Amino acid sequence: MTAPRSRPADNSWVQGAVDHALASGYQAHTATLRGVVRQRLVTRALLAHLPTPPGRILDVGGGEGTQGRTLARLGYEVTICDPDPAMLRRAEEQLSDADAAVRDRITLVRGDGHDAGSLVGGGWDGVLCHGVLMYLPDPAALLHVLAEVTAAGGVISVVGKNASALALRAGLQGRWHDTLSLLDEEPHTAAPTVAEIGNLGVPSRADDPRQIQDLLVAAGAEPRAWYGIRVLTDHLGDTPPGPDLDTVLEAEWRAGERDPYRQVARLYHLIHQRRPLDPW
Ligand SMILES: C[S@@+](CC[C@H](N)C(=O)[O-])C[C@H]1O[C@@H](n2cnc3c(N)ncnc32)[C@H](O)[C@@H]1O
């Protein structure tokens, strides 16, 4: 692991206590049906857009490495860059059970994604940033870094919380007061983001996927696809995956790739492709 780096001053929103809650809550979440749906749908979309392995993948905020290990098993060389030592420790623990070949294809780097250019350099075939923007006060700077470190023609994959449909989970769970507050907060007009206390008990923001797309276009990346994640299962709390998992995944996938369903998914998954740099 490389040496710890300090975060930018404006990133104080996510600090030690939040990191700790995230690290301990996130591992439990990953095993639930909602967690499995999220990771499996993301992998399916990635494999439709990434170049075939081998290729160099940077996972910014890759956390405990769930997606990174899957890609490394498929033959990609994966670098996970994450500021949270607890998350990286879990990633290391999980890797101790993996095949030596998979372990060799994963590098863990401790550091803030805003510093990715100096920490891990550029020219990546794929740059992932999944479930990170919601913990930042403003997504624009990190989106610029993602585009900067991606090779021309490379893929940028961003997963975040969808601000357009925050009330849906509360409504389907029968939490009617929460539903009304969230409906009041939704950004029907110009407001870019909405904050709420998420499932992991830490404050997190949501964004309108169209605004994230616009920011990525401004950073030099063309939109290729937009998927919704957890249209049909988001209200199921900590329900574990059941024997019908494959059918659930297929239903979620088909709903998440089309309108109007993807518009009300809990999470958006955007795929962009880095434009070639302008000639001098
Ligand atoms: C909810 S976890 C998501 C982990 C993984 N990407 C996934 O989808 O399973 C959020 C991760 O974002 C990381 N994170 C928070 N702020 C970050 C930043 N400024 N740069 C990079 N990663 C950050 C946290 O340490 C944590 O590992």
Side-chain angles (χ1 to χ4, degrees):
M1 241 185 265
T2 64
R5 300 271 306 217
S6 59
R7 295 194 175 100
D10 69 352
N11 198 20
S12 55
W13 220 54
V14 183
Q15 286 295 327
V18 171
D19 285 348
H20 181 72
L22 257 181
S24 51
Y26 199 65
Q27 195 172 34
H29 164 73
T30 302
T32 63
L33 176 64
R34 291 180 315 112
V36 172
V37 164
R38 170 192 169 157
Q39 298 291 351
R40 296 274 286 270
L41 260 55
V42 167
T43 306
R44 184 166 171 173
L46 283 176
L47 295 185
H49 295 278
L50 285 175
T52 51
R56 293 173 66 243
I57 308 292
L58 174 64
D59 194 350
V60 173
E64 59 184 25
T66 309
Q67 205 57 236
R69 280 191 306 283
T70 301
L71 295 178
R73 276 195 290 272
L74 293 168
Y76 293 98
E77 301 283 336
V78 180
T79 292
I80 293 173
C81 174
D82 198 291
D84 183 356
M87 282 291 198
L88 291 176
R89 249 193 324 275
R90 285 183 202 279
E92 252 172 355
E93 282 162 19
Q94 310 258 14
L95 274 179
S96 59
D97 293 337
D99 286 351
V102 172
R103 275 203 309 273
D104 288 349
R105 285 198 284 271
I106 297 194
T107 305
L108 303 178
V109 175
R110 183 172 167 200
D112 192 295
H114 294 90
D115 301 329
S118 57
L119 284 171
V120 295
W124 297 88
D125 301 310
V127 173
L128 323 181
C129 186
H130 300 159
V132 179
L133 298 185
M134 51 254 239
Y135 303 108
L136 304 181
D138 179 354
L142 188 57
L143 292 171
H144 267 271
V145 173
L146 301 183
E148 269 167 25
V149 298
T150 307
V155 168
I156 302 171
S157 167
V158 175
V159 173
K161 188 154 50 161
N162 180 8
S164 315
L166 284 179
L168 198 62
R169 174 193 285 179
L172 291 175
Q173 292 176 336
R175 293 186 285 114
W176 300 115
H177 290 293
D178 292 347
T179 307
L180 288 173
S181 321
L182 287 164
L183 283 171
D184 283 345
E185 277 181 45
E186 273 178 10
H188 297 294
T189 52
T193 59
V194 177
E196 64 161 9
I197 302 295
N199 248 43
L200 300 175
V202 297
S204 61
R205 283 184 319 98
D207 294 298
D208 182 332
R210 291 170 202 82
Q211 288 179 334
I212 300 299
Q213 276 182 329
D214 289 348
L215 289 168
L216 280 166
V217 168
E222 289 304 314
R224 291 288 175 252
W226 164 19
Y227 303 94
I229 298 179
R230 292 208 311 253
V231 180
L232 308 168
T233 53
D234 189 61
H235 61 297
L236 294 179
D238 291 339
T239 306
D244 57 354
L245 176 62
D246 287 345
T247 316
V248 175
L249 289 169
E250 189 59 25
E252 278 281 2
W253 174 260
R254 291 204 208 163
E257 62 180 352
R258 68 184 71 174
D259 287 327
Y261 298 106
R262 67 179 181 170
Q263 315 240 8
V264 295
R266 178 66 171 186
L267 305 172
Y268 60 80
H269 184 190
L270 302 178
I271 303 283
H272 283 238
Q273 191 171 23
R274 181 78 169 97
R275 282 195 295 270
L277 297 179
D278 290 334
W280 288 93

